[in-house]
Amino acid sequence: GSDITTLMVRGLPRKHTAAALAEELRAISTGGFDFVYVPWDAKAPFNLGYGFVNFVDAPTAAEFKELMDGTTWRLVECLKTIKIVVA
């Protein structure tokens, strides 16, 4: 089995903050996470289109990847497809 707990979330809506990503995670996954980071463009009021999430264990990370990869955002109107990759 895999022991990966940190995932990169791509296709983030450009105005999404770390708090907004955390809210989206809570709406989808039953398991927990302990770290969310969304880097922002230094010259514009937008994120860079991706974020990082560390889950409390590998099964929770795997569940999140299974539930989210290839889907669209649930809590905001955004047509971007979510892509989950190992960080």
Side-chain angles (χ1 to χ4, degrees), residues 7-19:
L7 299 175
M8 179 185 206
V9 181
R10 300 179 67 185
L12 209 60
R14 295 300 301 272
K15 298 261 185 187
H16 244 37
T17 61

Side-chain angles (χ1 to χ4, degrees), residues 5 22 25-26 28-36 53-64:
T5 59
L25 294 171
R26 285 188 205 98
I28 294 156
S29 181
T30 56
F33 52 92
D34 55 14
F35 180 78
V36 177
V53 181
N54 187 69
F55 293 89
V56 294
D57 55 37
T60 302
E63 175 196 32
F64 175 75

Side-chain angles (χ1 to χ4, degrees), residues 1-77:
S2 175
D3 58 355
I4 294 165
T5 59
T6 304
L7 299 175
M8 179 185 206
V9 181
R10 300 179 67 185
L12 209 60
R14 295 300 301 272
K15 298 261 185 187
H16 244 37
T17 61
L21 178 54
E23 186 178 337
E24 189 86 34
L25 294 171
R26 285 188 205 98
I28 294 156
S29 181
T30 56
F33 52 92
D34 55 14
F35 180 78
V36 177
Y37 173 66
V38 175
W40 281 77
D41 188 323
K43 297 183 171 115
F46 303 109
N47 66 49
L48 298 176
Y50 60 89
F52 298 93
V53 181
N54 187 69
F55 293 89
V56 294
D57 55 37
T60 302
E63 175 196 32
F64 175 75
K65 186 176 191 305
E66 180 72 26
L67 290 171
M68 289 295 293
D69 192 41
T71 66
T72 55
W73 297 96
R74 289 166 168 86
L75 302 181
V76 294
E77 283 191 39

